[in-house]
Structure formats: C-alpha cells, structure tokens
C-alpha cells in the first residue's frame, strides 16, 4: 500500500535511479573469502575489509563455538548494568597490553567507539580540529558533541597549524583528530607532524585506526606503533570489524579516560554489550596477530604486487599507500558502470560516489587481503584492464 506521507522517499529513490546512482545490495552466499559467491556469481572479492582472512580462521571459529557453549549467545544487558562478562574484561586487558597503553574499552562497533567517545569528552565550549576526509563516525561524534568544528584540507599541516594559531588566544579545550589510514584514499595520516602540533598547542590528540588495526605497525599495532609515537597520542581508536574479523571497536587511553567513558559514553551506557562469542573471537584474534605475523607480511606483499599492476596499466590510484587502492574515474555513473561490468567479468570492486567521496572523485575501491593468491590478483588485473579499456578509462 503506498503511503502518502512516505511518497517523498520513493521520489528521492526514483531520482537516484534516473541518475544511475541507485544501488542494490550485493548478497554474499558463501563465507567472506578472497574468491566468493555474490548474487549467484563467483567473483574475486576486492571489496572486503577482511585483511588477514580472520573471518574464517579455524582458531577464531573454535573459540566462538566454545564461548557459545560456555556462556550462551547473548550478554543480556548493557555493560554498566549486568552485561559485563569476564570475557569482556579479558578482551580489554588483552588490547591494552597489545597496544602498550594503560587501559582499553570495547564498544559495539568502531562507529559507536568514535561517535560515543568524541561526544562524551567534548562539549559546547570546546573546539575540534578535524581532517576533511575523516570518517563519518568521527563527523557524527563531532556534531553530537556540539563543539565548534574546524575542518582542515586533507593532511594539510600548515592549514591545521593556522587554525591552531587562530585559536591560541582563546582559552578553549581542543581536540585534534584524524583517521590513521583514510578509508577511501588508502593513504596514511601525517601523524608525527600532527602529534607535534598537538603538543605545541596543547590539544588532545586522537587517532582512528580502523583500517590500520591489524595492518600497520608491528603485529598490526596500528599507526602509533608504525611511527613509533608511543605515549604521545592521547586516544587511539581501533576496530574489531575489519582485520580482526569479527565486530566491535575500542578506545585506548589512560585508565581515568576509560573510566570516564564508562560513565559518559552513550553507546556504552545505553546499548547491549557484545555476545560472548564475539568477545572470545576478538580475544583469539589478538593472539593470532602475535602468533602468525606472516599473515601481515603476505598482506603487504599482495598489496605491492597489485598496486604496481594497477599503476602499470595506467589507472589513477590516487594517494594510496596501503592495501586500500582506489581506482579513480571521476564521474559517479561511470564508476558504478565500471563496477557493474567488472562484476559481470568476475571481479567485485565496489563503486563509490558522492556523498562517500567528493563529487568528481568517484571511484571503484579495491582492497587486497593476505588470502588472495598471486593467481587471483593476476586474473583480477587482466579483467580490470579489459573492462577499463572497454570503458576508455585507460
Ligand atoms: C570502518 C571504519 C569505522 C567503523 O568501524 P566499524 O567497526 O565497522 O563500525 C570507523 N572509522 C573508520 C576510519 C573506518 O574506516
């Protein structure tokens, strides 16, 4: 039954269809694997964040099953009431130790970790200085905090310092915040320079390492470890949903900051904690990071191979320096057509346009994993070349 009060939403959808920007959800019919079946078609999967193949790691599956047997399927409450199991505490202790910080707290997702933390620690009187390409969850956290938001052009240290100089005469609390690895560009934040600015101008320094967790630094410890900046970044965010292979997000900081979040971070206070199987899986994943460093080595070997292949073919891969490699084509309709034809030929690389990336910067995004074989990647490059030539992208 059509509902008059919802008609405007149907109208908006019709506009998307007309502009060829309408997207159906692709449905995965197998495990999340480097070659997987989506919508009935077997494709080389260049769209998952499953960097190390941990979504199907035998040890993680075993730990999840054992946790269900021992603890059941749900935690039954929010963390602050009855939903803190000893498994949750063990995971947080493991993360804190792994990251060489005083304490860590786990949220239901990286999104809630960011949004909940930024909102909790800042208020109306404060100022946030934020890279223009920061993730949506940071932006939402900034808005929810009601603090003043100053955005600097992507990785522009001079522009960032100019904002800080202008703020120097105002007695306000300041948060300098950046993604560690930018999710659509695949480039790395200039963290050493940002940390120096934060120290010089007395800012809280916060980094969102969602795409760096399990990818950068020793054993995947993240950007702070990659740049050897231990002790100089006040708040680190990580995700358990990408390389770690399950679901969740975490905050690393001082013990008091973490305890403050127990009292003020709204997703922690008002949304139920992880099922025990998820906590157990994540705990095991940190052990795997330490036991199987060859996974990260393979991830980077595959990254180098695939990136070089794309460049040799003449694709515009932008500023990427990580396993995330965009192929920028400009026009959003072209990006979606590129993605559609690739899929038909056997490669799944998601098309991405506005508002996820700026207008005129539409792209397909590729992500290689440790579990792709050389053969998978060679075949993917052949298909990219054929379709790219067909569409006159190269
Ligand atoms: C994916 C991502 C998140 C959200 O993490 P989830 O655990 O999937 O909610 C946050 N920040 C960045 C930069 C991301 O890429």
């Amino acid at each position: 039954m059509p509902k008059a009060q919802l008609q405007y939403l149907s109208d908006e959808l019709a506009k998307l269809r007309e502009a060829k920007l309408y997207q159906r959800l692709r449905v995965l019919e197998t495990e999340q694997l480097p070659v997987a079946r989506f919508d009935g078609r077997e494709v080389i999967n260049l769209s998952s964040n499953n960097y190390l193949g941990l979504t199907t790691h035998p040890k993680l599956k075993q730990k999840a099953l054992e946790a269900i047997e021992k603890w059941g399927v749900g935690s039954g409450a929010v963390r602050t009431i009855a939903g803190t199991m000893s498994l949750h505490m063990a995971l947080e202790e493991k993360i804190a130790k792994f990251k060489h910080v005083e304490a860590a707290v786990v949220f239901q997702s990286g999104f809630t970790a960011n949004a909940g933390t930024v909102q909790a620690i800042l208020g109306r009187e404060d100022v946030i200085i934020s890279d223009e390409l920061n993730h949506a969850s940071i932006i939402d956290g900034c808005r929810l905090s009601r603090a003043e938001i100053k955005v600097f052009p992507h990785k522009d240290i001079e522009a960032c310092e100019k904002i800080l100089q202008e703020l120097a005469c105002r007695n306000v609390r300041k948060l300098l915040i950046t993604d560690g690895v930018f999710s659509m560009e695949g480039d790395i934040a200039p963290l050493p320079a940002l940390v120096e600015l934060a120290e010089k101008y007395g800012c809280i320094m916060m980094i969102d390492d969602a795409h760096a967790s399990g990818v950068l630094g020793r054993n995947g410890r993240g950007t702070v470890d990659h740049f050897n900046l231990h002790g100089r970044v006040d708040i680190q965010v990580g995700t358990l949903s990408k390389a770690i292979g399950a679901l969740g997000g975490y905050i690393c900081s001082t013990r008091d900051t973490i305890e403050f979040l127990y009292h003020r971070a709204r997703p922690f206070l008002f949304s139920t904690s992880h099922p025990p199987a998820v906590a157990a899986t994540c705990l095991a994943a940190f052990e795997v990071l330490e036991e199987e460093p060859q996974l990260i080595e393979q991830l980077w070997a595959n990254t180098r191979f695939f990136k070089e292949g794309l460049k040799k073919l003449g694709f515009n891969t932008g500023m990427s320096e990580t396993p995330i490699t965009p192929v920028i084509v400009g026009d959003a309709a072209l990006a979606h057509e590129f993605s559609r034809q690739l899929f038909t030929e056997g490669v799944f690389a998601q098309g991405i346009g506005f508002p996820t990336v700026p207008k005129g910067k539409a792209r397909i995004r590729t992500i290689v994993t440790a579990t792709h074989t050389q053969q998978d990647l060679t075949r993917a490059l052949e298909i990219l070349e054929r379709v790219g030539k067909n569409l006159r992208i190269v």
Side-chain angles (χ1 to χ4, degrees):
M1 277 282 279
K3 291 200 172 193
Q5 63 272 33
L6 295 177
Q7 183 56 42
Y8 73 106
L9 299 177
S10 307
D11 296 344
E12 288 298 320
L13 266 182
K15 279 188 217 157
L16 287 178
R17 283 202 185 86
E18 227 162 89
K20 296 216 182 297
L21 299 177
Y22 175 83
Q23 276 190 298
R24 238 173 15 83
L25 301 178
R26 291 242 181 259
V27 178
L28 177 59
E29 294 155 352
T30 60
E31 293 175 302
Q32 184 67 264
L33 294 169
V35 178
R37 192 171 69 244
F38 288 87
D39 296 336
R41 188 176 291 271
E42 185 123 314
V43 289
I44 301 166
N45 181 3
L46 299 179
S47 290
S48 95
N49 301 313
N50 184 24
Y51 289 105
L52 303 176
L54 298 195
T55 59
T56 52
H57 192 288
K59 174 169 172 171
L60 273 59
K61 286 163 70 167
Q62 187 56 38
K63 292 289 180 182
L65 290 169
E66 286 169 12
I68 289 174
E69 287 293 345
K70 182 165 176 199
W71 298 88
V73 295
S75 74
V78 301
R79 289 288 301 273
T80 48
I81 300 184
T84 295
M85 291 172 155
S86 54
L87 260 181
H88 296 120
M89 299 309 289
L91 173 59
E92 288 167 347
E93 278 161 29
K94 178 85 192 168
I95 293 171
K97 222 170 166 186
F98 179 76
K99 298 276 284 184
H100 304 309
V101 292
E102 265 181 47
V105 56
V106 169
F107 285 75
Q108 298 85 354
S109 69
F111 196 107
T112 54
N114 264 328
T117 299
V118 175
Q119 178 188 21
I121 64 170
L122 295 172
R124 232 181 250 290
E125 319 70 36
D126 305 326
V127 182
I128 298 166
I129 304 99
S130 173
D131 187 289
E132 69 175 336
L133 295 189
N134 278 345
H135 190 260
S137 54
I138 292 178
I139 297 171
D140 285 14
C142 294
R143 289 176 182 160
L144 286 167
S145 76
R146 298 195 173 87
E148 190 180 336
I149 304 163
K150 302 266 189 194
V151 175
F152 57 92
H154 184 47
K155 301 211 299 192
D156 188 335
I157 294 297
E158 271 174 37
C160 178
E161 177 153 29
K162 196 150 165 273
I163 292 171
L164 291 169
Q165 279 166 348
E166 284 163 10
L167 290 169
C169 57
R170 282 167 60 187
N171 186 20
V172 287
R173 188 171 292 122
K174 299 179 284 287
L175 172 74
L176 178 51
I177 187 163
T178 184
D179 280 15
V181 170
F182 289 86
S183 50
M184 292 300 144
E185 305 296 331
D187 57 343
I188 302 172
L191 194 60
L194 290 173
V195 163
E196 278 188 18
L197 286 184
E199 287 170 349
K200 182 171 168 189
Y201 292 93
C203 307
I204 303 167
M205 182 75 226
M206 177 164 168
I207 185 152
D208 174 6
D209 253 350
H211 280 285
S213 311
V215 174
L216 280 179
R218 284 169 304 149
N219 302 86
R221 283 181 170 79
T223 318
V224 169
D225 190 80
H226 173 74
F227 287 116
N228 197 16
L229 293 167
H230 289 283
R232 295 175 68 188
V233 173
D234 302 300
I235 301 173
Q236 296 180 60
V237 185
T239 184
L240 304 168
S241 325
K242 290 173 175 148
I244 299 301
L247 176 70
Y250 59 86
I251 300 287
C252 292
S253 190
T254 60
R255 164 67 54 198
D256 280 356
T257 305
I258 299 307
E259 296 221 0
F260 175 84
L261 293 175
Y262 289 174
H263 293 84
R264 286 289 180 273
R266 294 170 69 82
F268 189 86
L269 287 156
F270 296 110
S271 184
T272 298
S273 57
H274 274 146
V278 173
T281 303
C282 295
L283 196 50
F286 283 95
E287 291 167 10
V288 169
L289 289 183
E290 288 176 315
E291 291 161 2
E292 301 181 38
Q294 68 275 18
L295 288 174
I296 296 178
E297 282 161 29
Q298 191 59 49
L299 171 66
W300 283 94
N302 285 353
T303 297
R304 284 187 291 274
F305 175 79
F306 192 67
K307 225 183 260 301
E308 271 165 33
L310 284 174
K311 279 188 191 151
K312 250 185 248 160
L313 292 173
F315 286 112
N316 174 7
T317 56
M319 308 175 270
S320 168
E321 15 178 8
T322 67
I324 300 173
T325 310
V327 175
I328 301 168
V329 302
D331 179 60
L334 178 61
H336 291 303
E337 183 58 26
F338 191 20
S339 177
R340 261 192 298 273
Q341 290 195 18
L342 286 172
F343 189 78
T344 310
E345 297 295 319
V347 168
F348 181 18
Q350 186 70 42
I352 298 167
F354 182 79
T356 310
V357 296
K359 282 185 175 149
K361 291 266 180 81
R363 64 198 60 196
I364 59 159
R365 183 177 64 159
T366 68
I367 302 179
V368 301
T369 70
T371 48
H372 285 99
T373 63
Q374 184 111 350
Q375 199 186 354
D376 294 334
L377 298 176
T378 304
R379 219 176 93 223
L381 287 168
E382 284 162 11
I383 294 169
L384 273 148
E385 179 179 23
R386 190 160 72 240
V387 176
K389 282 185 173 157
N390 185 37
L391 290 171
R392 298 174 190 282
I393 294 164
V394 282

